[in-house]
Amino acid sequence: MRVLGIDPGLVATGYGVVESERGDLRHIASGTITIPASRPLSARLRMLYDSLGEICSRYDPAEVAVENTFLAKNVAVALKLGQARGIALLVAELAQLPISEYAPTEIKIAVTGFGGAAKEQVQLMVGRLLRLSVETTTHHATDALAAAICHLHSGPWRRIVARPREVASRTL
Amino acid sequence: MRVLGIDPGLVATGYGVVESERGDLRHIASGTITIPASRPLSARLRMLYDSLGEICSRYDPAEVAVENTFLAKNVAVALKLGQARGIALLVAELAQLPISEYAPTEIKIAVTGFGGAAKEQVQLMVGRLLRLSVETTTHHATDALAAAICHLHSGPWRRIVARPREVASRTL
């Protein structure tokens, strides 16, 4: 199964496509969508919408995993983050892809075995699991790859047990 | 000029279309897009996207005014509000409509002359300005109509003086 992981942000959104075949993980693509802060907000949201749509078309994932952070410094930051996340979820929904959301702690546990892991540990483990050199990926891309890995490890169980409603309504 | 006002929210989004002809304001349409909280978040965002897109097609506004609130109880509420606002801005951008954002205080001043006006005062004044009976509109629809009125009163000045960058990039 091919999974697109997304780490949404208004300035930088990480994406990472990972494929799992008989338990073996393979890196397909990853990167950071960087949006100039100088553009009006609506234009920035459209750039994110266009870029994520293009990534969905190009890599044709079967499912999407989104990092679901509730940690924001303040209300203004949360509003901005919410706008970017809303676009990411919309793009996946329009592409009719099942979406799973994971908290940063869940992603860290899935990748490093420890929920309090530092960014560098996550980067190191993602690099090892996907046989990538650490230097080639940004933190945003690494976080997106980690979300995809987390989904491939824990996704099927979560979706069947914890979210029957979501799966049901997405298959309409 | 015909303006679509939007008061975005994840559970209820108000919309209001107002036309100004030689200084005379006319109510074209208004209402509330209500989205069932039981559906998965991505499906709710898509319902909002579809509904606002349909409203843009049906009423063909020349510009859009969005209530730009930075007041949210906490980070979790701000994230939800941000998601809905992101969708509203994206729909307007995809329809290539110029967007202006107004703070709740600006909207209250434009409609009632007083930035600390209560919801009931705003509703009363919107009703008078548009010759509507107060009972026919919800608070969300009234807030959206008030945003449209605010834009028709103060829009041209704001766009020319305060936001040359935004106008320039939107005409691309």
Side-chain angles (χ1 to χ4, degrees):
Chain A
M1 186 171 73
R2 189 175 276 200
V3 172
L4 166 63
I6 305 176
D7 174 29
L10 197 51
V11 176
T13 286
Y15 70 92
V17 185
V18 179
E19 202 164 72
S20 161
E21 212 171 335
R22 282 170 251 120
D24 195 44
L25 294 177
R26 196 156 67 94
H27 173 266
I28 304 293
S30 58
T32 305
I33 303 163
T34 311
I35 296 166
S38 58
R39 299 294 304 277
L41 177 58
S42 57
R44 292 161 70 190
L45 294 173
R46 197 207 164 138
M47 288 163 96
L48 182 57
Y49 171 84
D50 287 341
S51 300
L52 286 174
E54 202 200 323
I55 287 164
C56 282
S57 305
R58 191 186 303 168
Y59 299 109
D60 196 23
E63 305 210 353
V64 172
V66 181
E67 183 169 316
N68 176 6
T69 181
F70 290 106
L71 297 170
K73 264 179 254 170
N74 54 50
V75 162
V77 171
L79 268 168
K80 284 183 188 168
L81 178 61
Q83 286 161 354
R85 269 193 68 209
I87 301 302
L89 295 173
L90 177 71
V91 169
E93 183 71 28
L94 290 173
Q96 297 183 291
L97 299 172
I99 304 157
S100 298
E101 296 186 63
Y102 298 95
T105 318
E106 289 178 279
I107 295 174
K108 285 177 183 176
I109 290 173
V111 174
T112 70
F114 172 51
K119 275 202 172 292
E120 290 68 26
Q121 287 174 280
V122 173
Q123 197 160 24
L124 193 72
M125 282 307 296
V126 166
R128 276 195 199 162
L129 287 165
L130 300 178
R131 296 172 295 279
L132 290 174
S133 81
V134 173
E135 293 75 28
T136 57
T137 54
T138 64
H139 274 308
H140 291 291
T142 304
D143 285 350
L145 288 168
I149 294 168
C150 173
H151 181 61
L152 285 164
H153 282 171
S154 56
W157 175 81
R158 278 177 64 89
R159 271 173 296 129
I160 293 162
V161 178
R163 305 193 186 185
R165 285 190 72 95
E166 294 207 16
V167 172
S169 58
R170 270 174 200 143
T171 55
L172 287 175
Chain B
M1 185 170 74
R2 187 176 278 201
V3 172
L4 166 63
I6 304 176
D7 174 28
L10 196 52
V11 175
T13 287
Y15 70 92
V17 185
V18 179
E19 202 164 73
S20 160
E21 213 172 334
R22 282 168 250 120
D24 196 42
L25 295 177
R26 196 155 68 94
H27 173 265
I28 304 293
S30 58
T32 305
I33 302 162
T34 310
I35 296 166
S38 60
R39 299 295 306 276
L41 176 58
S42 56
R44 291 160 73 188
L45 294 172
R46 196 207 165 139
M47 287 164 98
L48 182 57
Y49 171 84
D50 287 341
S51 299
L52 285 174
E54 201 201 322
I55 288 164
C56 282
S57 305
R58 191 187 302 168
Y59 299 110
D60 196 24
E63 305 208 355
V64 171
V66 180
E67 185 170 315
N68 178 5
T69 181
F70 289 107
L71 296 170
K73 263 178 257 169
N74 55 50
V75 162
V77 171
L79 268 168
K80 285 184 189 167
L81 178 61
Q83 286 161 354
R85 268 193 68 208
I87 301 301
L89 295 173
L90 176 72
V91 169
E93 183 72 27
L94 289 173
Q96 296 183 294
L97 299 173
I99 304 158
S100 298
E101 296 186 63
Y102 298 95
T105 318
E106 290 179 278
I107 295 174
K108 286 178 182 177
I109 290 173
V111 173
T112 69
F114 172 50
K119 275 205 171 289
E120 290 69 26
Q121 285 174 283
V122 173
Q123 196 162 24
L124 192 73
M125 282 308 296
V126 166
R128 277 195 198 161
L129 287 164
L130 300 177
R131 294 172 295 280
L132 291 175
S133 81
V134 173
E135 293 76 27
T136 58
T137 53
T138 64
H139 273 308
H140 292 290
T142 304
D143 285 350
L145 288 168
I149 295 168
C150 173
H151 182 61
L152 285 164
H153 282 170
S154 56
W157 175 82
R158 278 177 63 88
R159 270 173 296 130
I160 293 162
V161 177
R163 304 193 187 186
R165 284 190 72 95
E166 295 209 12
V167 171
S169 58
R170 271 176 200 141
T171 55
L172 287 176

